[in-house]
Amino acid sequence: MDEMVKAALKKWPNVPACVGWLALDARGEWYMRDDRVQAAGAFPQVKGSVIRHDKLREFIGRNYESDARGRWFFQNGPQQVFVELEAAPWVWRLAAQADAAPQLESHTGRAARMDTAWLDEAGRLYLGTDLGLGIVHTLDMEAAADAVERGWWAPQAIGHAALLQRFGVCLSPQHLE
């Protein structure tokens, strides 16, 4: 977490949380969801405006965490901005290697170590890592398939709801308020 964010938390410890205004899709894109977008429908059916500003994306990524209830948020100064998730809190990008399983990097640029692999009922590939649960980016499925074919990964079948429960992930923090 950024030092300026930590300082803001000390200075203003009781700022109300923000819910419904930020979302993360299954390809690692952040979306702003203003009142108009929220009124038009739930995420991910109605996504909102994709955040393209690199510095803002980096700031969100550095200050992205979860709470004890499995809700993911961006700590924006003293305010927690809870995130609507399409599939999982992390989106994994894979860097193929010649003689080893792919290296993992999250949509926020954090390196991760794979522990488990899962396939949900829609055929989406998820990895449990030292950072938590994430979905493999669709552009990296060739490297993922290679890891499975070589025996480096052995995905287990599981329903998406059961997978979220296993990892303690809340997709929509609004429903816990």
Side-chain angles (χ1 to χ4, degrees):
M1 189 178 299
D2 288 359
E3 289 304 318
M4 67 181 230
V5 171
K6 291 177 186 176
L9 280 168
K10 288 179 185 173
K11 189 172 183 178
W12 300 289
N14 298 314
V15 174
C18 179
V19 178
W21 284 74
L22 184 62
L24 177 70
D25 76 3
R27 293 176 59 93
E29 294 290 343
W30 297 105
Y31 288 86
M32 290 296 300
R33 296 179 37 80
D34 61 18
D35 285 331
R36 180 189 55 79
V37 170
Q38 291 179 52
F43 184 78
Q45 290 75 27
V46 181
K47 289 191 173 187
S49 301
V50 68
I51 298 173
R52 296 279 183 220
H53 192 276
D54 289 337
K55 295 295 182 194
L56 177 55
R57 291 173 60 89
E58 291 168 9
F59 183 64
I60 292 171
R62 287 192 312 271
N63 297 288
Y64 180 57
E65 299 183 5
S66 66
D67 68 10
R69 296 170 69 187
R71 301 177 303 176
W72 286 80
F73 62 90
F74 153 53
Q75 190 71 49
N76 184 24
Q79 184 176 52
Q80 289 182 330
V81 179
F82 284 98
V83 179
E84 295 287 317
L85 303 171
E86 181 174 355
W90 300 106
V91 178
W92 305 122
R93 297 308 312 260
L94 310 181
Q97 302 182 91
D99 294 320
Q103 292 180 338
L104 307 181
E105 184 176 285
S106 75
H107 65 284
T108 65
R110 295 183 197 176
R113 180 187 41 79
M114 196 278 288
D115 296 321
T116 57
W118 307 91
L119 278 174
D120 75 2
E121 62 275 13
R124 298 178 296 186
L125 179 62
Y126 294 83
L127 302 176
T129 74
D130 56 330
L131 296 180
L133 180 68
I135 189 168
V136 173
H137 195 287
T138 55
L139 293 177
D140 294 332
M141 288 307 293
E142 185 175 350
D146 185 58
V148 171
E149 287 174 358
R150 290 177 181 238
W152 295 325
W153 296 352
Q156 303 298 309
I158 191 169
H160 188 241
L163 185 61
L164 296 174
Q165 185 175 17
R166 176 182 290 257
F167 281 87
V169 173
C170 173
L171 291 182
S172 183
Q174 294 185 79
H175 302 293
L176 290 181
E177 293 302 311

